[in-house]
Amino acid sequence: MIFELIRLQWLKSFRSTSFAKSAAVTALLIFLALLLLSYVLLAGLFLDEIIGKLADGQEPISVLNNWLIYFFLAEFMYRYFIQKLPVIELESLLHLPIGKRKIMHMLLGRSFFSPMSLIALLLFVPFGLIRVAEMYGASGVLGWLGTIVLLSWSLHWFMLWFKQRFEDSFLGLVVVFLVLILGGGLSYSGWFNVGEALAPVFNLALSSWIPMLGCLILFVGTYYLAYIFYLNHAYLEDLTEEEEVRFANQSFGFFARFGMAGEIANLEWKLIIRHKKSRTYLMLSAFFLLYGLIFYTNPLYQDADIHAIFIFVGVFITGIFTIQYGQVFLSWNSANLDFFINRKNGVEALVRGKYLLFIAISCLCFVLSVPYAYFGWKFLLIHFVTFLFNIGILMHVIIYLALWKPKPMDLNKGAMFNYEGVGAAQFLMIIPMMVLPYVIYLPFSFLVSDYAGLAALGVMGAFGIIFFKKLTAININRLLEQRYEISSSFRQEV
């Protein structure tokens, strides 16, 4: 029966009307996965030398055991954002006369075969064979590697349960933020070293198989946890009810002051929080608010009062949502674009509503970035100036590029490694985001001062806000001219 389920999935892929497109995307993803795994293998081959340079004079195995917990914290984070759930496949199999237990085992087993399951092996097996085997023999290698690999694989099953159970809940967000803080904040501040607290477990694994047996029990237990949860919720209403109801009535009340455009902004907000891909973009925007911690406290960028890289960081922090969500500006509405086209002033209201939403969330990002003033008031000034430039200039440019041959997308699919709605224009958007602020900032910075460059950037953004209606009209007229062509292409590609 398992082989019959595999055969059905194989036929489903080949009989799809988008097989050629899916095959091309799959080939690209396989190439990228192999490339990334090759980098991981290279890191594993040179891990001993890397540790030697980073911790000169210390015993590499002891150092690595102290650092291993951060590998698992990082794995928790990238599995949360990248690992896919087998829910979509489940919906296509529930109507078949096949036992649910067999379907669950097949789907969970198939989800295990992914590049992420190889990362721990490729990274630590070379180190184990080169360094651990020399000091602790084959038994030590097996116990140590078994502990690490089984822990990594246990995270796979745990994440299948965690994402399905808590992905869209406040508790889930709290857990993810706590993991992020635990992974970097506590150690960076020197309050508590989590690695040293858990290093004895990995040290014991070098001389005893008890940790590996414990991790084996954990591996089986997490698989059983995911299996039981999916088995008990293997009903269409259980898989979809929560997503349909949660946040259904949430809206920004002040949008109502802006007429039809405000109503569209509210509808757009509800679209964001009801669908996986848009929710992922919103969540990533919150995480990228911490982006400044990488640069603002880095000694490499303290050679000048205002380092040039800070301009890019400010643009990124205050405009990340516009950059991510705006790059597929019209693709979000590929399923209902005809509705707006057939309404009086519908297209204009759609564009203005999206503008309104972008400005509101950019304002929120700026307010949330105010605590960066702790590192210096200049960072608050940088954020304010780049915020003005984002809503005054950059937002119009991004939307203008996004209206160039937009492509449809399925909103229920995840954002990671999903290239629906992405075309050449989306790859070109990085150019104005990187270049435009510096075209204005650098001449004044070189000829006068860094603060003169900031003033020029802020003045340009202010002019964009003053002439906001005229700049908005450019994109509205462009969409009106192309609306039937775009609508037709959406219907043909869906």
Side-chain angles (χ1 to χ4, degrees), residues 19-37 115 417-420 422-423 427:
F19 171 72
K21 180 180 178 181
S22 299
V25 173
T26 301
L28 175 62
L29 293 179
I30 291 175
F31 171 76
L32 292 176
L34 292 175
L35 182 64
L36 293 174
L37 289 178
F417 297 106
N418 177 11
Y419 296 97
E420 286 187 346
V422 177
F427 291 101

Side-chain angles (χ1 to χ4, degrees), residues 50-350:
I50 294 172
I51 295 175
K53 291 183 178 181
L54 293 177
D56 189 23
Q58 301 183 47
E59 208 284 312
I61 297 177
S62 177
V63 172
L64 182 58
N65 285 342
N66 286 333
W67 291 352
L68 275 175
I69 185 60
Y70 300 108
F71 165 77
F72 292 111
L73 291 172
E75 185 174 15
F76 179 92
M77 297 302 298
Y78 70 68
R79 282 188 181 275
Y80 180 81
F81 287 109
I82 297 175
Q83 187 168 312
K84 294 183 178 180
L85 300 176
V87 172
I88 296 176
E89 292 85 349
L90 179 60
E91 293 179 3
S92 64
L93 295 172
L94 286 178
H95 68 285
L96 299 177
I98 304 173
K100 290 181 181 178
R101 295 179 181 273
K102 294 180 179 179
I103 294 176
M104 292 303 117
H105 285 303
M106 189 276 290
L107 290 179
L108 292 176
R110 193 181 70 171
S111 72
F112 183 74
F113 293 95
S114 72
M116 285 183 287
S117 299
L118 299 174
I119 291 178
L121 286 170
L122 295 176
L123 187 59
F124 297 112
V125 166
F127 182 86
L129 296 177
I130 295 172
R131 173 67 67 169
V132 178
E134 179 183 351
M135 300 183 63
Y136 295 93
S139 177
V141 173
L142 182 60
W144 186 75
L145 285 177
T147 301
I148 294 173
V149 173
L150 287 172
L151 270 177
S152 174
W153 289 350
S154 298
L155 273 178
H156 172 82
W157 307 123
F158 175 79
M159 193 55 63
L160 290 182
W161 170 81
F162 181 82
K163 288 186 69 174
Q164 188 63 38
R165 178 66 179 84
F166 295 111
E167 182 179 25
D168 302 322
S169 69
F170 178 74
L171 179 59
L173 289 176
V174 170
V175 171
V176 173
F177 272 105
L178 285 177
V179 169
L180 184 64
I181 294 172
L182 187 65
L186 294 181
S187 297
Y188 178 81
S189 62
W191 293 344
F192 180 68
N193 193 323
V194 186
E196 291 182 357
L198 297 180
V201 176
F202 302 111
N203 291 330
L204 179 62
L206 294 167
S207 57
S208 172
W209 284 20
I210 293 177
M212 186 180 73
L213 293 176
C215 291
L216 179 61
I217 295 172
L218 179 65
F219 175 79
V220 175
T222 50
Y223 176 84
Y224 185 76
L225 176 68
Y227 170 75
I228 292 298
F229 182 84
Y230 278 83
L231 184 65
N232 292 338
H233 295 80
Y235 301 94
L236 290 178
E237 56 270 23
D238 283 350
L239 295 173
T240 58
E241 179 182 1
E242 185 177 4
E243 197 162 76
E244 290 175 357
V245 174
R246 182 173 290 148
F247 304 132
N249 297 317
Q250 297 292 327
S251 61
F252 287 146
F254 68 87
F255 282 155
R257 304 176 182 179
F258 298 92
M260 188 175 179
E263 293 298 325
I264 297 298
N266 261 327
L267 289 175
E268 194 77 10
W269 170 250
K270 292 178 181 179
L271 178 148
I272 290 173
I273 57 181
R274 285 175 176 173
H275 294 90
K276 291 182 179 179
K277 188 166 185 174
S278 49
R279 275 201 309 268
T280 302
Y281 280 9
L282 189 65
M283 187 180 301
L284 285 175
S285 299
F287 277 108
F288 279 122
L289 288 172
L290 303 175
Y291 195 60
L293 297 176
I294 301 174
F295 297 93
Y296 294 160
T297 60
N298 195 324
L300 293 175
Y301 306 112
Q302 305 303 320
D303 56 341
D305 189 22
I306 298 179
H307 197 283
I309 193 66
F310 294 162
I311 304 302
F312 170 75
V313 176
V315 169
F316 199 76
I317 289 177
T318 58
I320 180 60
F321 180 78
T322 301
I323 294 168
Q324 288 186 303
Y325 195 80
Q327 67 178 345
V328 281
F329 180 77
L330 209 58
S331 299
W332 302 106
N333 306 97
S334 55
N336 53 24
L337 181 61
D338 290 338
F339 169 81
F340 296 100
I341 291 177
N342 294 322
R343 288 181 64 89
K344 183 179 179 181
N345 299 325
V347 172
E348 180 179 354
L350 175 64

